[in-house]
Amino acid sequence: MRPSSFQANQQGPQQAAPIIKLQDIQFQYPGAENMALHNIQLTVQPGEFIAIAGTNGSGKSTLCKCLNGLIPNYYVGDLDGSIEVAGLIAAEETVSSLSRKVAYVFQDFENQLVRPTVYDEACFAPLNYGFSDYRERGLRALSMLGIDHLKDQWIWQLSGGQKHLTALAGALSLDPEIIIIDEPVAQLDPFHARLIYDKLKLLNEKHGKTIIVIEHHTEFIADYCNRVVLMDSGTIRWVKPVHEALSAVDELAELHILPPQVTLAVCTLEAASGKAKSEDSSPYPITIDEAAPYFEKMLKSSITLSDVPTDKPISNNELIKQPLITFANVSYSYKTIARTMHPVIRNMSISFYEGDRIALVGNNGAGKSTLLKLLSGIRRPTEGLLTVCGHITKQSSPELLSDFVSYIYQNPEEMFIEDSVRKDVEYFLKARGIADYHPFVDEILERLRLTALQDRDGRLLSGGQQRRATLAIGLAMRPTVMLLDEPTASLDAASRREMTEMLAQLQDHVKSTIIATHDMQLVAEWANRVIVMHDGCVALDTDERSLFSHVAILKQAGLIAPQIALLSQRLGFEPPCLSVNEFTARLIRNINPSNPFEQEEITVGSN
């Protein structure tokens, strides 16, 4: 039996006049064949903390843009139905008047940053609304998010995560009743992701703000939200309390949404024992605090190291004498507006080898993206020597290095320069004058399931489709080294699983793959080497299993282990587990060593 305490705190705030009420909403974009929103009915009470979940393209962002007037005043189309927000009839209001009630932070948040410095951006909205205390409002918003030390920084100097925090500060400065954030943690390191949600929780519980997040990461939904709105193909499939919502494992799996890892672990173990979850049974645990007592009751003896292979493989350094990439005392700095030099990479010496699957991790601003740009030749070291595939980057043009290195940008749209996916994939081959490339392009498009999309403009594809298209562009360059910046950012579970599988397939085509990521689950499941960066330096160079034992370095770099690794550490597993399947396998072996765990028979969903 699962503990019944999981049923507590499922109900939202007491019923009152709704702060949001949508009735019979229909919306269709110009030229679209299908409705983007269809028969939407939704009521939100003041002070709720709601997550909107669903796959890419299910209508989540479109729904939220109806709440602040962007639809239909900016994004035109056919809108029908009744929308009431904070006592206002949306059809009678403007984007300007609604934005005083509803703050919105976009998924593509960089497009809403309009001022030169962080402080200017935070003050911009209250200044334009005529608030005499606009300076104090801006500073207070920056302080709430812990970025007041960045107030004099130029926007263009910031990392992606720092820009995201700045956009949120600009929204908070108006003191809105409703705060909507589209993918709040997509480009943040785990520490700042948790910080964002802690601040949203404070705004919700202390100041009574109504919070709506569009979120793919169900662990955050479990820890912070009280209700979940599940969208599917432009409709609301259901609205449920968070425990009930995240316990609907089979239904979520049908829509390619992954419940929290601890929930999957319980579900997997019950499937292994032949139990079937009935409709009247208590919800599954969805947080570590809830899951730990459940698993502690199952343990009859301590988990030992014998459950996991402990022989450390021979390193690439021992197998291959010649590295593909060598940093020798490399530093990179840029000149600020004040004509001072700002260091980003500091005296780095490290080598990368064939067979490396490297994850660059660290807090926002640690230098991960800059490191990738140095490798691609987009940036050149200000000091030291960087050698890539036998070429000194200071003496080589980016065009020359592109024969060996493919760089996939953090923002997929920056990779599209033609009006179709096929033309974008062909672009490099045509520019290099390679003959008879069409069969090769056909093969890449087929491998990445892009054949049906090859005539579409890449900028108009969904997030997951864009990621696949950019990977095809990179593979068409036949690189020796593949570089990817945040390859799983903003992807739903299905698209993220596809990306992980595609990264695994790269071994057949490239000699080394290097990704910069905040996705610690991706690190645990894919990488065989992890470089932890902090303040422009290498703080740790280790393997994926040893990574999570370096507690002090993880804390310094703003990193938090995946939920299943944290749970296994809490239960005394040493070393910690890196996936749900590994966790359940070790647990069953510990409980009943004579009955080996058959992973393929009981796997539910994905890790």
Side-chain angles (χ1 to χ4, degrees):
M1 277 293 290
R2 293 187 300 275
S4 60
S5 61
F6 305 143
Q7 300 181 59
N9 196 30
Q10 290 192 46
Q11 302 301 321
Q14 294 296 316
Q15 294 295 309
I19 195 168
I20 294 173
K21 188 174 182 180
L22 306 179
Q23 292 183 296
D24 304 319
I25 299 301
Q26 315 266 11
F27 181 72
Q28 187 171 19
Y29 288 104
E33 296 182 3
N34 301 315
M35 288 281 187
L37 297 176
H38 177 66
N39 193 31
I40 297 293
Q41 317 284 340
L42 179 65
T43 299
V44 178
Q45 298 298 321
E48 285 201 273
F49 199 137
I50 287 182
I52 301 181
T55 56
N56 293 120
S58 61
K60 305 183 298 296
S61 297
T62 299
L63 173 64
C64 288
K65 287 170 183 172
C66 292
L67 302 179
N68 69 344
L70 286 176
I71 291 178
N73 294 310
Y74 183 78
Y75 298 96
V76 298
D78 297 325
L79 176 65
D80 294 315
S82 171
I83 303 174
E84 299 179 26
V85 180
L88 303 175
I89 306 298
E92 301 173 359
E93 302 295 327
T94 64
V95 175
S96 176
S97 60
L98 284 171
S99 65
R100 295 187 65 168
K101 301 287 188 178
V102 183
Y104 197 119
V105 180
F106 298 106
Q107 182 176 343
D108 51 347
F109 53 86
E110 290 194 40
N111 288 338
Q112 69 187 98
L113 299 174
V114 297
R115 299 297 296 159
T117 71
V118 172
Y119 176 64
D120 288 338
E121 183 64 41
C123 297
F124 181 73
L127 171 63
N128 280 271
Y129 277 106
F131 289 106
S132 60
D133 61 343
Y134 68 90
R135 293 185 180 88
E136 291 77 10
R137 285 172 173 263
L139 287 173
R140 183 166 60 247
L142 294 175
S143 178
M144 289 180 64
L145 296 176
I147 57 171
D148 43 329
H149 65 287
L150 297 174
K151 70 183 184 69
D152 296 324
Q153 293 287 308
W154 302 91
I155 295 294
W156 60 267
Q157 292 178 306
L158 303 179
S159 69
Q162 290 168 336
K163 290 177 183 177
H164 204 166
L165 291 168
T166 301
L168 179 57
L172 292 179
S173 64
L174 282 176
D175 193 25
E177 296 181 42
I178 302 166
I179 300 172
I180 302 173
I181 308 184
D182 195 342
E183 297 287 350
V185 303
Q187 296 190 37
L188 295 180
D189 61 64
F191 172 79
H192 282 101
R194 187 67 56 178
L195 172 65
I196 284 282
Y197 268 100
D198 285 341
K199 296 302 182 184
L200 293 176
K201 181 179 180 182
L202 177 69
L203 291 168
N204 175 248
E205 295 181 350
K206 184 176 181 180
H207 302 284
K209 305 296 184 185
T210 301
I211 310 294
I212 299 175
V213 295
I214 299 174
E215 186 58 85
H216 292 304
H217 297 84
T218 52
E219 285 86 356
F220 287 107
I221 294 175
D223 286 338
Y224 293 94
C225 301
N226 52 47
R227 282 204 299 165
V228 179
V229 177
L230 180 64
M231 296 199 66
D232 178 23
S233 302
T235 65
I236 293 179
R237 187 157 178 168
W238 46 247
V239 181
K240 294 181 178 180
V242 64
H243 277 87
E244 183 182 344
L246 297 183
S247 294
V249 174
D250 292 336
E251 193 170 3
L252 294 176
E254 178 187 339
L255 296 180
H256 305 291
I257 299 171
L258 287 181
Q261 288 185 314
V262 298
T263 309
L264 276 177
V266 174
C267 183
T268 301
L269 284 170
E270 293 198 352
S273 65
K275 295 181 181 178
K277 186 177 186 298
S278 62
E279 293 185 2
D280 58 350
S281 62
S282 60
Y284 290 126
I286 61 176
T287 67
I288 294 175
D289 286 343
E290 294 172 353
Y294 172 85
F295 289 110
E296 285 168 352
K297 291 182 179 179
M298 300 178 65
L299 296 174
K300 297 179 180 179
S301 59
S302 62
I303 303 295
T304 66
L305 284 172
S306 61
D307 290 328
V308 175
T310 57
D311 294 333
K312 186 175 178 60
I314 300 173
S315 70
N316 287 321
N317 301 43
E318 298 173 53
L319 293 174
I320 302 172
K321 294 182 179 179
Q322 295 298 322
L324 290 174
I325 296 167
T326 301
F327 288 78
N329 304 117
V330 170
S331 296
Y332 174 77
S333 303
Y334 63 83
K335 186 177 290 186
T336 68
I337 297 295
R339 298 185 179 277
T340 59
M341 297 302 293
H342 178 76
V344 183
I345 301 296
R346 304 170 187 263
N347 197 34
M348 180 177 291
S349 294
I350 194 170
S351 294
F352 300 150
Y353 297 82
E354 182 174 344
D356 277 348
R357 298 194 306 275
I358 297 171
L360 299 175
V361 299
N363 46 9
N364 293 111
K368 302 183 298 296
S369 295
T370 299
L371 183 67
L372 296 184
K373 291 175 181 177
L374 287 170
L375 290 171
S376 67
I378 296 174
R379 299 281 185 270
R380 295 187 177 186
T382 50
E383 296 180 20
L385 196 66
L386 171 56
T387 305
V388 177
C389 298
H391 295 271
I392 299 173
T393 59
K394 280 186 177 181
Q395 302 171 2
S396 306
S397 67
E399 290 77 16
L400 172 63
L401 290 173
S402 66
D403 284 332
F404 307 94
V405 180
S406 287
Y407 177 35
I408 309 301
Y409 288 78
Q410 184 171 342
N411 182 359
E413 292 187 7
E414 295 181 24
M415 299 287 292
F416 303 121
I417 57 179
E418 297 281 3
D419 60 5
S420 75
V421 170
R422 185 178 187 95
K423 290 180 181 178
D424 281 318
V425 175
E426 293 175 341
Y427 185 86
F428 179 85
L429 301 171
K430 291 174 65 176
R432 287 294 193 270
I434 297 174
D436 195 25
Y437 56 79
H438 298 288
F440 178 61
V441 172
D442 290 338
E443 178 187 345
I444 291 176
L445 293 174
E446 181 68 26
R447 173 181 284 270
L448 297 182
R449 295 183 295 105
L450 292 167
T451 303
L453 302 172
Q454 62 181 316
D455 296 322
R456 296 271 303 276
D457 189 322
R459 288 163 287 242
L460 302 180
L461 300 178
S462 70
Q465 292 168 340
Q466 285 186 340
R467 294 287 178 184
R468 293 209 309 271
T470 58
L471 196 57
I473 293 170
L475 283 176
M477 299 168 69
R478 295 174 173 166
T480 302
V481 178
M482 179 76 83
L483 312 175
L484 300 100
D485 200 348
E486 294 292 352
T488 60
S490 302
L491 295 185
D492 58 31
S495 299
R496 183 190 171 280
R497 188 183 305 118
E498 290 175 358
M499 178 57 66
T500 304
E501 292 171 355
M502 287 186 289
L503 288 174
Q505 294 173 6
L506 288 180
Q507 294 175 242
D508 301 331
H509 298 273
V510 301
K511 292 184 177 180
S512 182
T513 304
I514 305 171
I515 64 172
T517 185
H518 294 309
D519 187 343
M520 299 306 291
Q521 190 172 337
L522 174 64
V523 172
E525 296 173 359
W526 171 81
N528 62 9
R529 187 177 175 189
V530 185
I531 310 297
V532 181
M533 296 188 64
H534 178 67
D535 197 23
C537 301
V538 174
L540 181 66
D541 182 356
T542 187
D543 62 83
E544 77 284 5
R545 190 168 296 282
S546 303
L547 171 66
F548 302 113
S549 63
H550 297 273
V551 178
I553 292 177
L554 292 177
K555 183 177 181 180
Q556 180 189 50
L559 301 175
I560 299 173
Q563 192 185 49
I564 202 69
L566 293 174
L567 175 62
S568 60
Q569 285 177 325
R570 183 159 169 175
L571 294 174
F573 286 42
E574 183 59 39
C577 298
L578 301 184
S579 69
V580 172
N581 283 338
E582 181 186 329
F583 174 84
T584 51
R586 291 173 67 184
L587 194 66
I588 288 179
R589 282 199 300 270
N590 181 75
I591 295 171
N592 186 8
S594 63
N595 182 22
F597 173 68
E598 295 295 337
Q599 174 177 312
E600 292 79 9
E601 295 182 7
I602 67 170
T603 298
V604 177
S606 170
N607 292 345

